[in-house]
Structures are given as C-alpha cells and as structure tokens.
Amino acid sequence: MFRRRESVPFSFVAEADRFRSNVTPPARERATVSQLAGRSLVGLTVVAGLVGSLILGLPALSPAQGPSHSQQTEAGQGY
C-alpha cells in the first residue's frame, strides 16, 4: 500500500523543490576609482614581491661552483 506524506499547512512548501522568492536582491554597488586603484596596487605589490623573491632566490638555488684557486694549509705543506 501506498502511504501519504504528512500534511503540510502550506501547499507551496510541500510541492516546491526549493524556496523561490519573488524579492530580487539589491544590485551590487560598483567599485569606485579609488577602490579599483587600491586593488590593483595590492595586486602589483604581490606580483612584485614574488618576482623579487624569485630574482633574489635564484642565485641561492644555482649549484655552487668550486673555488677558482686552491688553498693550502700549513699541514699540507709538510712543515
């Protein structure tokens, strides 16, 4: 046998898949010129920091070259 669901006082709640409102949300405010300038400045600062760390970090990541001249100690000379 087929059982009915519990009765709901509002038929639109029982039949609706999800709640739909007839009220539209307010439109988003456009960003001002100063806000756009601030955002772009923050973005440029982040990019400049990444590029600067890459430029300064690359020499440390490169393989070390051996010394061009050999240093000898006194113990190596046999004194």
Side-chain angles (χ1 to χ4, degrees):
M1 290 229 149
F2 172 115
R3 220 172 138 188
R4 282 184 87 187
R5 295 190 300 183
E6 292 182 19
S7 63
V8 179
F10 302 103
S11 63
F12 72 90
V13 174
E15 295 175 4
D17 294 331
R18 63 186 178 101
F19 180 73
R20 293 182 187 142
S21 174
N22 60 355
V23 179
T24 58
R28 291 184 58 183
E29 294 181 12
R30 292 180 59 96
T32 62
V33 175
S34 62
Q35 287 175 338
L36 289 174
R39 289 177 189 167
S40 61
L41 232 126
V42 167
L44 284 174
T45 304
V46 169
V47 169
L50 291 172
V51 169
S53 65
L54 186 66
I55 289 172
L56 293 176
L58 279 178
L61 293 174
S62 65
Q65 295 181 4
S68 59
H69 63 285
S70 62
Q71 296 179 349
Q72 294 184 356
T73 61
E74 291 180 8
Q77 294 176 358
Y79 290 121

